[in-house]
Amino acid sequence: MDHSPAVLDFWCELQCPDCRTALADLHALRERYGDRLEVRLRHFPLEKHKHAYAAAQAAEEAFTQGKGWAYTEAVLETTGDLAARGEPYLVRTAEALGLDAEEFDTALIDGRHLLAVDADQAEGRAIGVTGTPTYVIGGERLDGGQGQEGLRARIEEIADRLLAGA
């Protein structure tokens, strides 16, 4: 029998305070489902946040180096620092997590992750993502930008249904 996990796409912007709030829900979901729920980070940098685009690229580099979620959460926990300090902060955060900071710096300069970020953003727009955080699970889009009350319960409801049918 195929026990493939349910997939939750988490459309996120690393300079977004609402996405930082959403971390509590993500932690609770991970605790409840473990590897039965695959949470995928999807990028949706907003123009109003000038470092969000660089941060999305940095997160991609962190996934390449094997610490994508740790990095994403570290940056989200300190959205104010990112706003104040910009790209040097992204590189310093990588360093603090024991990642190859020089490689981060190079990745931000050579734009190797631009296509991945752009592709996410285009897909997000195509499916109606307008702000962050937005969740997509089982074909259903849940917008957390308007308030996150009750969202986790709704995600759990859909995840339980998907996993029961798997």
Side-chain angles (χ1 to χ4, degrees):
M1 242 180 100
D2 177 32
H3 286 296
S4 56
V7 174
L8 174 68
D9 279 339
F10 174 55
W11 296 86
C12 172
E13 202 249 52
L14 293 186
Q15 208 179 323
C16 165
D18 289 333
C19 289
R20 184 179 63 208
T21 310
L23 284 178
D25 282 341
L26 284 184
H27 289 155
L29 289 165
R30 282 207 190 99
E31 211 156 280
R32 175 167 173 172
Y33 294 106
D35 54 13
R36 295 182 307 140
L37 181 68
E38 182 191 346
V39 181
R40 293 192 307 203
L41 178 67
R42 306 301 300 274
H43 301 291
F44 204 76
L46 304 167
E47 275 171 23
K48 66 180 178 183
H49 291 139
K50 70 175 184 199
H51 302 300
Y53 198 69
Q57 295 173 65
E60 281 298 301
E61 179 58 32
F63 276 102
T64 302
Q65 293 191 30
K67 283 194 178 170
W69 278 110
Y71 183 82
T72 297
E73 294 191 14
V75 174
L76 275 175
E77 293 287 1
T78 53
T79 50
D81 289 343
L82 173 57
R85 299 197 200 122
E87 291 187 23
Y89 169 74
L90 293 170
V91 176
R92 273 203 303 280
T93 303
E95 208 168 27
L97 288 170
L99 295 165
D100 183 340
E102 213 167 289
E103 201 56 34
F104 261 79
D105 210 24
T106 309
L108 289 172
I109 293 165
D110 71 18
R112 68 184 70 162
H113 301 297
L114 282 172
L115 284 174
V117 175
D118 287 347
D120 269 5
Q121 204 168 26
E123 187 185 328
R125 282 202 188 100
I127 62 168
V129 176
T130 54
T132 55
T134 297
Y135 303 91
V136 176
I137 182 169
E140 197 166 324
R141 191 180 78 235
L142 307 165
D143 181 3
Q146 304 309 310
Q148 301 181 44
E149 198 54 50
L151 267 188
R152 187 167 87 213
R154 185 77 192 105
I155 291 168
E156 288 174 350
E157 203 178 294
I158 297 168
D160 289 344
R161 191 178 70 226
L162 291 173
L163 291 167

